[in-house]
Amino acid sequence: MPAPVGSRRPGKGSPLRGIAYHKHRELASYLDIAERWRRLIEVMPVEAYSTVEVEKMAMAIHRPGGSPASELLSDLGIRGYTVEQLVSFLRKLKYESPLLLLLPKDPVSILTHPENVVCSVGDEIVLEVKASGLPFPNYQWYNSEKQKIPDACHSVLRIPNACMRDQGSYIVNVSNDVNHAFSNWAEVTIIGRHTGKFRCLMCFAFCGK
């Protein structure tokens, strides 16, 4: 079991066995829920643990105060794993709470802005932003009138069955409890597939007008 070393966060390259005892316990408590520790093993290098070794860890739950996740973390420390390696596994799983135990909060940063889209009536409009930050970013998309788009709170905005009223500009606000940032505006251009009366009927079918 790791020895207490104070309350400050360990450096990412620090040995995992050197993390503070209370952090070890909090990590284990989180990973024991719904056997998340098994998922952690799944994202580790291939054959890091055999099936026999995994099930032996699982048996710890039958001991008073036993914790399979604590067994795993202790063994990772013995094997020489670092905090940085554990962080990489936790990021793959998008486990925010344990990451906040090991890392300082990080402001959001937009990595890729949404791109302009040209599509036809009836197509699906797809806009995407990529961002980083800890806590993980929240998203809210807005239309050209700067009105919130209902339920548009993910990194990808999907608008099915595009119609002429969907044409315009879109922007997304990316935020966490450290800061927020707006993306660049993305222009959506809608091109009718048909002309004349049939095009009007198509637009009525998709847009209701």
Side-chain angles (χ1 to χ4, degrees), residues 84-99:
E84 185 172 21
Q85 288 173 302
L86 178 59
V87 164
S88 70
F89 304 147
L90 295 171
R91 284 194 184 279
K92 288 180 182 178
L93 295 168
K94 300 186 184 301
Y95 285 169
E96 182 179 78
S97 295
L99 285 171

Side-chain angles (χ1 to χ4, degrees), residues 26-63:
E26 287 184 64
L27 286 168
S29 295
Y30 179 89
L31 293 171
D32 275 329
I33 297 172
E35 295 193 319
R36 289 173 175 148
W37 61 273
R38 288 185 183 268
R39 294 195 62 197
L40 185 66
I41 291 175
E42 290 172 4
V43 300
M44 292 173 61
V46 179
E47 298 180 356
Y49 288 95
S50 68
T51 301
V52 172
E53 290 173 317
V54 171
E55 294 312 313
K56 183 177 179 181
M57 288 180 194
M59 294 300 292
I61 195 68
H62 300 295
R63 299 196 301 268

Side-chain angles (χ1 to χ4, degrees), residues 95-145:
Y95 285 169
E96 182 179 78
S97 295
L99 285 171
L100 286 168
L101 284 172
L102 299 171
L103 300 172
K105 290 184 177 181
D106 189 34
V108 296
S109 176
I110 296 178
L111 307 176
T112 304
H113 291 265
E115 298 181 348
N116 296 339
V117 171
V118 178
C119 66
S120 300
V121 169
D123 287 346
E124 181 181 50
I125 300 170
V126 180
L127 298 173
E128 182 177 8
V129 65
K130 292 184 179 179
S132 63
L134 190 68
F136 295 148
N138 300 306
Y139 303 90
Q140 178 60 59
W141 291 84
Y142 295 82
N143 60 23
S144 52
E145 284 75 40

Side-chain angles (χ1 to χ4, degrees), residues 109-193:
S109 176
I110 296 178
L111 307 176
T112 304
H113 291 265
E115 298 181 348
N116 296 339
V117 171
V118 178
C119 66
S120 300
V121 169
D123 287 346
E124 181 181 50
I125 300 170
V126 180
L127 298 173
E128 182 177 8
V129 65
K130 292 184 179 179
S132 63
L134 190 68
F136 295 148
N138 300 306
Y139 303 90
Q140 178 60 59
W141 291 84
Y142 295 82
N143 60 23
S144 52
E145 284 75 40
K146 297 183 179 179
Q147 297 174 331
K148 288 184 179 180
I149 301 174
D151 302 319
C153 52
H154 303 284
S155 61
V156 178
L157 173 65
R158 297 181 184 276
I159 303 175
N161 299 328
C163 60
M164 301 309 293
R165 71 179 178 188
D166 295 318
Q167 182 166 278
S169 303
Y170 293 83
I171 195 171
V172 59
N173 182 33
V174 185
S175 65
N176 62 13
D177 59 11
V178 181
N179 72 327
H180 75 95
F182 279 98
S183 71
N184 296 337
W185 285 96
E187 297 296 327
V188 173
T189 303
I190 309 296
I191 300 174
R193 284 178 175 159

